[in-house]
Amino acid sequence: MKQDMIVILDLGNTENTTIARAIRALGVYSEIYPHDITKEELAALSNVKGIIINGGPNNIVDGEKIDVGPWVYEAGCPVLAVDHPQASCEKLDQWPQAEAELEAVLKAFVLEKCEAEKNWNMKNFVADQVELIRQQVGDKKVLLALSGGVDSSVVAALLIKAIGKQLVCVHVNHGLMRKGESESVIEVFQNQLDANLVYVDATDRFLSKLENVADPEQKRKIIGAEFIRVFEEEARKLEGIDFLGQGTIYPDIVESGTKTAKVVKSHHNVGGLPDDLQFELVEPVRQLFKDEVRACGLELGLPHDMVFRQPFPGPGLGVRCLGAITRQRLEAVRESDAILREEFAKAGLDKKVWQYFTIVPDFKSVGVKNNARSFEYPVILRAINTIDAMTASIEQIEWPILLKITDRILAEVENVNRVCYDISPKPCATIEWE
């Protein structure tokens, strides 16, 4: 069943995702598009019941004030302009700050003015995506990077539902996985779910490419590009591979930059792909926020533990071993992360905290170990809560738990003599350090 849709045109507003999520919370699907959407692109969208021109402070691009094309007002559906006085339609000076008032404004426009049907739900989304995947892929095969994280697992489940054995899952161990991660992926997907799984141990290959590379953007691009190279090599061993499945989600796209928003950081599944990419992309969850991806996983029948597994970035521990990666510091990140996860599970925090991990920077500090001076690395703990990964708050961990984690890390992890706790929210900080 095709869902009714409200189109949000980004004319420099900083709250595009907030509005999109609020509309979806009403049970109506919404998508964000650039202000310069063409007449043909707008006409190609199906079931558009209303358009919001979302003006704001970033409406100056390259020194000129941006605007929508005149065809927006001629689309045959209600149009609401926010913070855009020159618009020839219904206008609103700004969005209400209070959540209840915002909901009332959106209800009046979306449900009453546009008469949009409340048919946005995961059952309909899955049905639509299965149909779209079948139309796109046909009888060809899809290669999917299966890390075992939430995004790739949900994409795998969607693809399996749509095309079954035409999906070939590839798990690449790039040497930047968490402790026991690859073993877990093999057990769950190959042994329990009977997926077509190819395991590739490319640890030395990735670490060699990353040697002496300190810039985080360059590291992300190297890791992303190398991933694609590995998949291309695996595809050559198979027949009929024309598509590459990816777990791109909406926050990835937003943070990788738009016409009115600067790049926060490149994501390996949005930027940094090699020019000679031989695959057409299949990205069935690219318009979903993180909580919606989880809801989709539950709708598909994935195990609860898998759906609510802690998020893990595509570059893995590569963006948590700050600066140029060394095997020594990488091992410190891996071992300290395992201790943190173990202690959080014992304290019940694994069910309460959205994401938690450790970071090891590329500098040392003076300390005392075994009654002697030491000059070793610090470990930084991070624990945050969020709904959509666009903003995040800090988990206030009780001191006894923090002290126990600290004691274990200092006693059990080599080359470490200090533990710190990062209490910076997003914004101004991002969730990851790199």
Side-chain angles (χ1 to χ4, degrees):
M1 177 181 182
K2 296 292 184 183
Q3 291 106 339
D4 286 352
M5 178 167 66
I6 301 297
V7 171
I8 299 172
L9 297 182
D10 177 15
L11 207 65
N13 198 287
T14 58
E15 300 295 327
N16 290 308
T17 55
T18 300
I19 303 307
R21 289 188 53 78
I23 294 172
R24 293 187 190 187
L26 295 176
V28 179
Y29 185 56
S30 63
E31 284 188 5
I32 302 169
Y33 286 90
H35 70 281
D36 56 357
I37 187 171
T38 66
K39 185 176 182 179
E40 292 73 23
E41 289 170 338
L42 184 58
L45 300 178
S46 60
N47 290 43
V48 175
K49 296 296 183 180
I51 299 172
I52 295 176
I53 302 172
N54 212 16
N58 296 329
N59 64 349
I60 304 294
V61 176
D62 295 330
E64 295 185 6
K65 202 165 193 176
I66 57 177
D67 201 351
V68 298
W71 47 85
V72 170
Y73 305 104
E74 303 163 0
C77 61
V79 179
L80 170 65
V82 181
D83 193 10
H84 188 52
Q86 61 265 46
S88 57
C89 62
E90 181 182 348
K91 300 182 183 71
L92 185 66
D93 290 338
Q94 61 182 16
W95 292 111
Q97 295 299 308
E99 185 176 336
E101 292 176 9
L102 175 61
E103 182 181 4
V105 169
L106 289 175
K107 277 185 176 180
F109 178 70
V110 173
L111 301 181
E112 298 171 19
K113 184 81 172 179
C114 300
E115 298 182 343
E117 186 177 345
K118 300 170 73 170
N119 55 10
W120 163 244
N121 56 62
M122 280 304 146
K123 183 176 182 180
N124 289 342
F125 174 81
V126 168
D128 284 350
Q129 289 303 317
V130 166
E131 180 182 341
L132 290 171
I133 290 168
R134 288 173 178 169
Q135 290 176 359
Q136 181 183 8
V137 174
D139 60 356
K140 303 295 185 181
K141 292 181 180 179
V142 180
L143 191 62
L144 174 68
L146 182 55
S147 67
V150 179
D151 301 337
S152 65
S153 296
V154 172
V155 170
L158 263 175
L159 289 169
I160 289 169
K161 186 177 180 67
I163 58 174
K165 292 294 184 179
Q166 291 169 241
L167 173 66
V168 179
C169 299
V170 176
H171 175 66
V172 178
N173 181 1
H174 48 22
L176 306 170
M177 305 294 289
R178 289 174 290 197
K179 189 173 183 177
E181 197 102 58
S182 289
E183 294 82 354
S184 174
V185 168
I186 294 171
E187 171 59 28
V188 171
F189 288 96
Q190 183 170 284
N191 300 343
Q192 297 180 21
L193 300 183
D194 193 32
N196 287 336
L197 180 64
V198 176
Y199 173 73
V200 182
D201 187 350
T203 298
D204 292 339
R205 175 172 173 172
F206 274 83
L207 294 185
S208 176
K209 290 277 186 179
L210 291 164
E211 189 174 359
N212 298 322
V213 177
D215 180 72
E217 280 294 288
Q218 191 178 356
K219 286 199 295 186
R220 285 177 176 271
K221 290 188 186 322
I222 288 173
I223 293 169
E226 201 62 24
F227 253 105
I228 301 302
R229 298 296 183 194
V230 173
F231 295 146
E232 286 181 325
E233 291 171 12
E234 292 303 318
R236 293 189 194 104
K237 303 173 186 176
L238 305 164
E239 293 183 359
I241 297 288
D242 290 288
F243 296 90
L244 177 68
Q246 287 195 156
T248 308
I249 65 174
Y250 192 70
D252 296 342
I253 298 170
V254 172
E255 290 193 334
S256 292
T258 64
K259 291 184 175 101
T260 63
K262 295 180 180 178
V263 173
V264 177
K265 59 189 175 188
S266 295
H267 287 261
H268 74 287
N269 48 4
V270 178
L273 301 181
D275 294 334
D276 59 346
L277 176 67
Q278 298 296 311
F279 306 113
E280 181 180 337
L281 297 181
V282 181
E283 301 174 299
V285 298
R286 65 178 286 116
Q287 292 296 342
L288 296 186
F289 294 97
K290 196 71 178 190
D291 58 316
E292 294 172 331
V293 175
R294 296 185 193 281
C296 183
L298 293 177
E299 176 66 30
L300 289 163
L302 288 175
H304 186 275
D305 288 348
M306 182 183 297
V307 170
F308 286 90
R309 189 176 189 178
Q310 185 184 146
F312 192 53
L317 300 183
V319 292
R320 296 175 182 173
C321 184
L322 305 186
I325 298 170
T326 66
R327 291 179 185 260
Q328 185 183 72
R329 285 193 299 112
L330 187 60
E331 193 61 21
V333 177
R334 199 181 335 265
E335 291 299 324
S336 60
D337 177 81
I339 290 172
L340 179 65
R341 288 190 287 138
E342 184 178 328
E343 292 301 326
F344 264 42
K346 288 179 182 177
L349 290 173
D350 59 326
K351 297 178 177 63
K352 180 184 177 186
V353 182
W354 188 81
Q355 190 173 20
Y356 44 96
F357 53 89
T358 64
I359 302 136
V360 176
D362 57 349
F363 59 83
K364 296 180 179 181
S365 67
V366 176
V368 178
K369 291 179 73 173
N370 301 320
N371 297 317
R373 178 187 183 276
S374 70
F375 191 57
E376 297 176 307
Y377 298 104
V379 168
I380 301 165
L381 310 180
R382 186 127 170 91
I384 59 96
N385 286 311
T386 183
I387 294 176
D388 56 14
M390 301 305 296
T391 62
S393 59
I394 302 305
E395 177 65 22
Q396 298 183 33
I397 303 174
E398 296 179 2
W399 278 110
I401 299 172
L402 272 179
L403 292 175
K404 186 176 182 182
I405 293 168
T406 299
D407 288 344
R408 283 198 59 192
I409 289 175
L410 294 178
E412 299 174 29
V413 181
E414 295 183 0
N415 304 301
V416 167
N417 67 357
R418 193 180 296 268
V419 176
C420 307
Y421 188 45
D422 178 2
I423 59 172
S424 311
K426 178 182 180 179
C428 294
T430 54
I431 293 174
E432 299 286 345
W433 274 50
E434 290 188 342

